[in-house]
């Protein structure tokens, strides 16, 4: 089934990432007008070219965001989007900023690194929800989709990391994604009476270029016997924005 999102105006943070690219292309094929946001200009430019090659009629705007949450940047962007399109129907928070020491052992994490990751990741989601959510509340409609994780709900199974070098589940990730889940519940209660829906997508492991041993370890511990593919995650995004 193909969802028709014709003329929906969708803001997507972290559009240059693995899930972001797949979701942006699917949204373009569904008829959406896209505002794609990422810290990586090259990734966005390549994504824009791919979308225009597949869906020449799709309207795509790119915004290169700063790494740290910036209320002024988000407000200027939202103002520009409203001036051009007159509305914002959906927001997807999928950005995944992280420090260079991401993945360090718990006992080796500097407090400053922890604070920076929480600030940039969870704080970034908060800023976008605040600025875009205020517009949606005033308009009386909208859908916000925040990306959580299974590790924001459950404790990690560290045995899947055995034999894969230094790869592990970062402690800050669990704290951030747990925060995203409950923050989304708060927003759903706060904005729901104004016609704005807020949901969280919390995927398990998504297959990319991980160590083959990790992929095997993971697959042996889930009922389907495999990691998720990006297409498994894209469907729920479109559904929640529809």
């Amino acid at each position: 089934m193909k969802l028709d999102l014709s003329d929906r105006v969708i803001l997507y943070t972290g559009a240059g990432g693995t899930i972001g690219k797949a979701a942006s292309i699917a949204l373009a094929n569904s008829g959406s007008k896209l505002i794609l946001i990422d810290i990586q200009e090259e990734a966005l430019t390549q994504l824009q070219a791919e979308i225009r090659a597949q869906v020449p009629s799709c309207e795509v705007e790119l915004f290169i965001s700063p790494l740290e949450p910036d209320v002024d940047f988000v407000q200027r962007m939202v103002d520009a989007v409203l001036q051009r399109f007159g509305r914002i129907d959906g927001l997807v928070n999928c950005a995944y900023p992280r420090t260079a020491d991401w993945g360090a052992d718990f006992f080796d994490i500097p407090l400053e690194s922890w604070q920076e990751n929480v600030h940039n990741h969870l704080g970034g989601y908060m800023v976008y929800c605040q600025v875009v959510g205020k517009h949606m509340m005033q308009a009386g409609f909208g859908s916000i989709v925040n990306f959580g994780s299974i590790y924001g709900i459950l404790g990690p199974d560290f045995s899947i990391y055995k034999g894969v070098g230094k790869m592990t589940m970062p402690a800050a990730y669990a704290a951030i994604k747990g925060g995203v889940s409950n923050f989304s519940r708060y927003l759903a209660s706060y904005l729901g009476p104004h016609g704005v829906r807020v949901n969280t997508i919390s995927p398990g492991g998504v297959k990319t270029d991980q160590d083959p041993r990790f992929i095997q370890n993971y697959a042996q511990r889930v009922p389907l016997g495999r990691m998720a593919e990006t297409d498994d995650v894209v469907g729920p995004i479109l559904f929640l924005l529809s």
Side-chain angles (χ1 to χ4, degrees):
M1 177 178 129
K2 180 181 177 181
L3 291 173
D4 183 4
L5 300 179
S6 297
D7 298 323
R8 300 286 179 94
V9 180
I10 308 296
L11 273 67
Y12 201 113
T13 76
T18 301
I19 295 173
K21 291 176 182 177
S24 297
I25 292 170
L27 285 166
N29 279 294
S30 74
S32 299
K33 303 177 189 296
L34 299 177
I35 293 82
L36 305 180
I37 307 146
D38 204 285
I39 61 174
Q40 302 179 69
E41 183 174 4
E42 183 178 355
L44 281 185
T45 302
Q46 292 175 351
L47 176 57
Q48 182 184 50
E50 188 170 353
I51 289 173
R52 287 180 171 167
Q54 293 190 34
V55 191
S57 61
C58 181
E59 296 186 68
V60 184
E61 289 284 336
L62 305 182
F63 286 89
I64 314 303
S65 69
L67 176 62
E68 296 186 8
D70 187 328
V71 177
D72 290 338
F73 165 80
V74 178
Q75 187 63 64
R76 289 195 305 270
M77 181 187 63
V78 167
D79 290 343
V81 171
L82 292 175
Q83 184 174 7
R84 176 171 177 181
F85 297 110
R87 56 189 287 155
I88 297 174
D89 299 285
L91 165 67
V92 182
N93 274 314
C94 192
Y96 185 18
R98 47 207 183 273
T99 55
D101 63 351
W102 189 247
D105 182 82
F106 173 69
F107 292 109
D108 296 328
I109 300 172
L111 177 59
E112 294 77 11
S113 173
W114 173 278
Q115 292 171 327
E116 185 176 345
N117 281 302
V118 173
H119 175 67
N120 290 346
H121 195 147
L122 186 56
Y125 281 29
M126 181 270 183
V127 168
Y128 276 95
C129 287
Q130 190 176 56
V131 177
V132 178
K134 184 175 184 179
H135 161 73
M136 289 180 171
M137 184 178 71
Q138 293 170 344
F141 65 88
S143 174
I144 296 174
V145 179
N146 290 324
F147 260 80
S149 167
I150 190 173
Y151 284 149
I153 303 169
L154 303 172
D157 177 357
F158 284 104
S159 67
I160 65 175
Y161 301 103
K162 288 183 178 178
V164 292
K166 295 183 178 180
M167 184 180 182
T168 188
M169 169 46 52
Y173 187 82
I176 291 164
K177 292 307 187 182
V180 168
S181 293
N182 221 42
F183 176 52
S184 298
R185 294 184 182 99
Y186 171 90
L187 287 176
S189 295
Y190 188 86
L191 295 175
H194 303 280
V196 181
R197 294 177 293 111
V198 183
N199 289 279
T200 303
I201 295 176
S202 297
V206 178
K207 186 178 179 182
T208 54
D209 58 351
Q210 297 100 332
D211 186 298
R213 178 69 180 273
F214 171 79
I215 295 174
Q216 180 182 12
N217 289 347
Y218 195 103
Q220 290 173 348
R221 287 166 174 77
V222 294
L224 284 179
R226 65 172 178 85
M227 297 186 74
E229 302 285 351
T230 52
D231 285 347
D232 294 319
V233 185
V234 167
I237 298 172
L238 270 64
F239 170 71
L240 292 173
L241 291 173
S242 70

